[in-house]
Amino acid sequence: MPELPEVEALAHHLREHAVGRAVTRIDVVSLSVLKTVTPAYTELRGREITGVGRHGKHLDVECGDLHLIVHLARAGWLRWSDDLPAKPPAPGRKNPLALRTHLSADDAAADSGAAPRHVGFDLTEAGTKKGLAVWIVTDPAEVPSIAALGPDALDLDRDRLETLLTGETRRIKTVLTDQKTVAGIGNAYSDEILHTARLSPYATPARLTSEELDALFDALHGVLTAAVERSVGQDAARLKGEKRSGLRVHGRTGLPCPVCGDTVREVSFADKAFQYCATCQTGGKPLADRRLSRLVK
Ligand SMILES: [Zn+2]
């Protein structure tokens, strides 16, 4: 799933390539991604893209007083194209394309007398579990999942983080990925942050010492800013690979921890898993994983 660094990189890419262009056409291939009816998506036609923002993991394409808000969910992606097909795409259940936005081409290209190019971006979603969501609103706060967001992870300072965690008895892994508490962090970067901070995913935030809070804050800020720096400026197509190459424990079950060499372990649930290093994070003690112990027996 794209998290804060990837969404920030996509926003950056659109700021460089889409701002200043007008929306010329929107092809809605999968109607179910559209979560709002009014204003209609056709109202975006002819409007210029004036800015691109980010709210947690939501992307905000500003077209004057209308916002096209996108949440990529687990398997959604945004793909920029300098050469979109002019022909409307055919809907089909197997088509990963959900929505295509055509934008006005460069004036220079039009002046040269060449055939007009179709530039713009596709929103795609792989797999059968559909979660990609698009809203068209006059105020981003009309999107319920944006209205409920906690402070952005990159805006937190040490004191604000401490305040958020005071009295918090849920597991730290749960808290970091709860968008209502902190916005922007998901399963992958929370694994990385906790590994860097040398904290157990099951640690209780309210019981963290001052040193542990320092370590958590430094890791949160360090991991996210490093990931933003790695991702921004990358081709959108290469972003996913870039994310993977920067990870130390997430998605690396069975591989050596790059810090201590211990084997990266995993705790799995029905539909997801997280990774950690026992030597670095839990005093060498593996966390209980019912599925894994069943398999081992
Ligand atoms: Zn380790």
Side-chain angles (χ1 to χ4, degrees):
M1 157 181 298
E3 300 178 30
L4 183 157
E6 292 77 44
V7 179
E8 187 58 41
L10 291 172
H12 180 87
H13 187 91
L14 290 180
R15 276 175 216 131
E16 304 238 295
H17 294 88
V19 168
R21 296 182 192 272
V23 176
T24 53
R25 195 173 101 202
I26 293 184
D27 300 326
V28 178
V29 183
S30 164
L31 253 183
S32 62
V33 302
L34 273 181
K35 302 304 171 196
T36 45
V37 179
T38 331
Y41 70 88
T42 47
E43 284 194 34
L44 290 171
R45 202 160 43 194
R47 283 172 183 263
E48 186 183 312
I49 297 182
T50 47
V52 182
R54 179 183 62 76
H55 311 276
K57 301 186 222 168
H58 303 71
L59 194 62
D60 178 356
V61 181
E62 303 157 20
C63 307
D65 55 359
L66 281 186
H67 298 251
L68 173 78
I69 309 268
V70 179
H71 190 265
L72 293 166
R74 258 174 118 165
W77 200 247
L78 182 149
R79 201 172 50 199
W80 176 263
S81 171
D82 286 318
D83 195 17
L84 285 177
K87 222 176 112 189
R93 216 186 296 171
K94 289 220 177 100
N95 193 350
L97 177 62
L99 188 140
R100 171 169 286 163
T101 304
H102 298 257
L103 303 173
S104 55
D106 295 320
D107 291 340
D111 290 345
S112 72
R117 281 191 317 160
H118 284 244
V119 301
F121 57 87
D122 284 346
L123 297 177
T124 61
E125 189 171 37
T128 48
K129 255 195 169 173
K130 301 297 185 190
L132 177 71
V134 174
W135 299 262
I136 293 153
V137 290
T138 52
D139 177 357
E142 290 169 43
V143 176
S145 51
I146 290 182
L149 287 177
D152 194 78
L154 280 183
D155 292 339
L156 283 181
D157 58 21
R158 162 76 170 70
D159 289 347
R160 188 90 193 267
L161 180 67
E162 181 166 4
T163 309
L164 286 178
L165 299 182
T166 300
E168 179 61 74
T169 55
R170 292 176 295 167
R171 287 168 172 167
I172 186 75
K173 170 81 183 171
T174 307
V175 173
L176 285 182
T177 53
D178 178 359
Q179 302 305 298
K180 293 178 183 138
T181 308
V182 193
I185 304 171
N187 195 21
Y189 288 105
S190 57
D191 279 357
E192 296 301 301
I193 290 165
L194 292 170
H195 178 260
T196 303
R198 305 180 71 88
L199 287 173
S200 166
Y202 289 173
T204 303
R207 287 197 218 116
L208 294 181
T209 65
S210 181
E211 290 73 30
E212 286 170 331
L213 267 172
D214 287 342
L216 178 62
F217 174 72
D218 289 346
L220 187 149
H221 206 262
V223 164
L224 293 178
T225 42
V228 168
E229 279 163 19
R230 266 200 323 272
S231 308
V232 164
Q234 288 287 341
D235 204 352
R238 284 182 52 205
L239 268 177
K240 286 187 208 174
E242 199 51 43
K243 177 177 179 181
R244 230 169 283 135
S245 73
L247 302 179
R248 307 203 299 184
V249 285
H250 185 76
R252 300 187 76 246
T253 308
L255 294 169
C257 165
V259 172
C260 73
D262 190 5
T263 304
V264 172
R265 293 167 199 267
E266 154 176 316
V267 173
S268 43
F269 302 94
D271 62 342
K272 63 175 176 184
F274 71 79
Q275 285 82 26
Y276 68 101
C277 168
T279 297
C280 290
Q281 297 176 256
T282 59
K285 242 182 86 185
L287 298 171
D289 179 351
R290 282 166 59 210
R291 194 194 71 158
L292 199 64
S293 42
R294 211 166 51 233
L295 283 175
V296 168
K297 272 181 216 155

